[in-house]
Amino acid sequence: MKSINLNKLTALISLFLISVVFSTGANATCKKDADGKLISVSGNSDTQVIDVVTGTGERAGDQCSDTPEEYEITFYKLGICTATTIGNDLSSCQYIVNDDAGITHIIKKNTSGAMAIPKFAIDPGTYPYMVVVLSSKLGIKHSFQSTNAVDGSSGNGNGGTYCWTAVAGPSSYTGESTGLSSAHGTIADGGTKLIDCGTAAGTAIMSYEVITKLSDDDDDDTESCNGETWGANGDRQTFDAEGTGASSGIPTVSLLTTANAFAASCIQSHKILWTTSLTTPYTVTDESVFELKMKTTDAVSIDFSSDDGDNDIIKMGADPVKLFLTITG
């Protein structure tokens, strides 16, 4: 058994790969002009922005993705396992992070830094699975400049081309139209403006979104916590294979309660159980070095109103970061 110092585990911010875990659509990046301003239409519209979709091209819509200035994430567990953890049995795992209180880390764009992780020990062996348990409440701090004025939380007619996260929320991933009492507190009503805009740059704060549900029936029903079937085993969803190299694999994701049981409803969602069935198992030796990379490219969804009678901006939605754990030696 080898003890690894936390200095060998660094969180590196990169601008190369797309971060989409719960998004079921194509990767979409906000179109910007030569000065880096987000291109927006003038006046009222239900398609305020243009996103550039991988493999498709440009399309007008009420949402596009950007790289946040800061991203807050809380880890409870990060480990490698000899057996699958999709059933919420983590008994085969050994941990890099194992903290009941959680370790909160803020990822800042274009920077790198060490996470506050104590020494850990991993037995030599072969590990076909990686598991992460993290908070379902994710934080985004972001600001941008648009080419045309939009209205934020200060009200209609009081907007501008400078926009920033101004209200802490939290909002809901599912966008409920009535306040939802969740494990992270009361969710802001769907449509509540958590972004403000003005004629000069403002001070961005951390704004939060709670992942309250994973599945969706694709009927454009934003009331998915109120009107759609809750999936078994924490609304478990298995996604297409992601990643490249040592961290590639098939992710299976469920929601957990505060007591670490499978959540049975939106209001119980407190944590995310994320299991990756690795394409190539990790091999750990007495000489292994561990490196964790967290990538936040396009990890914020800039959400505008879908009403063609206004030019409102609503919130910064959070897509979980993509994690790459590399074990060498």
Side-chain angles (χ1 to χ4, degrees):
M1 183 181 296
K2 184 178 180 181
S3 181
I4 307 296
N5 190 281
L6 67 89
N7 290 330
K8 289 189 177 179
L9 184 69
T10 58
L12 304 178
I13 308 311
S14 176
L15 299 178
F16 298 110
L17 296 184
I18 301 295
S19 170
V20 281
V21 175
F22 299 117
S23 173
T24 57
N27 300 337
T29 302
C30 295
K31 184 176 181 178
K32 298 180 180 180
D33 68 10
D35 297 322
K37 298 177 183 177
L38 186 150
I39 296 175
S40 61
V41 302
S42 176
N44 299 339
S45 175
D46 58 357
T47 55
Q48 284 282 329
V49 290
I50 299 171
D51 57 13
V52 182
V53 185
T54 302
T56 300
E58 296 181 1
R59 65 184 183 189
D62 61 4
Q63 175 276 338
C64 64
S65 298
D66 203 3
T67 301
E69 294 168 356
E70 295 187 12
Y71 191 112
E72 181 181 303
I73 186 170
T74 298
F75 291 91
Y76 295 97
K77 296 181 186 293
L78 169 61
I80 53 178
C81 314
T82 58
T84 183
T85 57
I86 64 172
N88 202 20
D89 179 357
L90 279 59
S91 60
S92 74
C93 302
Q94 298 199 28
Y95 296 104
I96 298 165
V97 175
N98 189 11
D99 193 307
D100 290 340
I103 296 174
T104 298
H105 185 70
I106 296 178
I107 306 168
K108 296 183 178 181
K109 183 178 178 180
N110 298 333
T111 67
S112 64
M115 287 178 61
I117 299 174
K119 291 182 179 181
F120 61 90
I122 303 288
D123 288 334
T126 301
Y127 298 87
Y129 302 92
M130 180 175 74
V131 66
V132 182
V133 178
L134 61 152
S135 175
S136 59
K137 180 180 178 181
L138 304 167
I140 293 287
K141 181 189 289 188
H142 193 52
S143 60
F144 66 89
Q145 190 174 2
S146 59
T147 55
N148 287 285
V150 292
D151 288 336
S153 58
S154 290
N156 295 339
N158 296 316
T161 59
Y162 294 86
C163 298
W164 59 92
T165 48
V167 181
S171 63
S172 166
Y173 173 68
T174 52
E176 303 309 304
S177 64
T178 57
L180 188 73
S181 179
S182 78
H184 292 288
T186 302
I187 301 293
D189 289 352
T192 300
K193 299 176 186 177
L194 305 184
I195 300 174
D196 205 3
C197 300
T199 56
T203 301
I205 68 168
M206 196 69 72
S207 187
Y208 296 91
E209 183 175 61
V210 178
I211 307 299
T212 48
K213 200 172 190 295
L214 301 174
S215 61
D216 183 38
D217 62 8
D218 295 324
D219 64 357
D220 295 324
D221 176 13
T222 59
E223 301 286 327
S224 58
C225 279
N226 296 328
E228 295 181 5
T229 302
W230 181 269
N233 302 311
D235 205 32
R236 178 191 296 164
Q237 299 291 301
T238 297
F239 298 90
D240 293 337
E242 295 184 357
T244 57
S247 294
S248 66
I250 298 174
T252 299
V253 185
S254 297
L255 297 174
L256 303 179
T257 67
T258 55
N260 298 313
F262 282 129
S265 67
C266 289
I267 64 174
Q268 293 182 356
S269 171
H270 187 259
K271 298 172 185 174
I272 298 167
L273 171 65
W274 175 0
T275 300
T276 300
S277 177
L278 297 164
T279 303
T280 303
Y282 291 123
T283 298
V284 177
T285 71
D286 286 334
E287 301 302 320
S288 290
V289 173
F290 296 70
E291 182 181 59
L292 176 67
K293 295 181 180 180
M294 294 184 284
K295 301 189 177 185
T296 60
T297 300
D298 291 353
V300 57
S301 171
I302 303 178
D303 298 339
F304 291 78
S305 169
S306 58
D307 188 338
D308 62 7
D310 61 48
N311 65 337
D312 294 348
I313 186 169
I314 306 299
K315 67 174 183 176
M316 304 284 186
D319 285 330
V321 297
K322 185 180 288 291
L323 304 177
F324 296 89
L325 176 64
T326 302
I327 302 174
T328 57

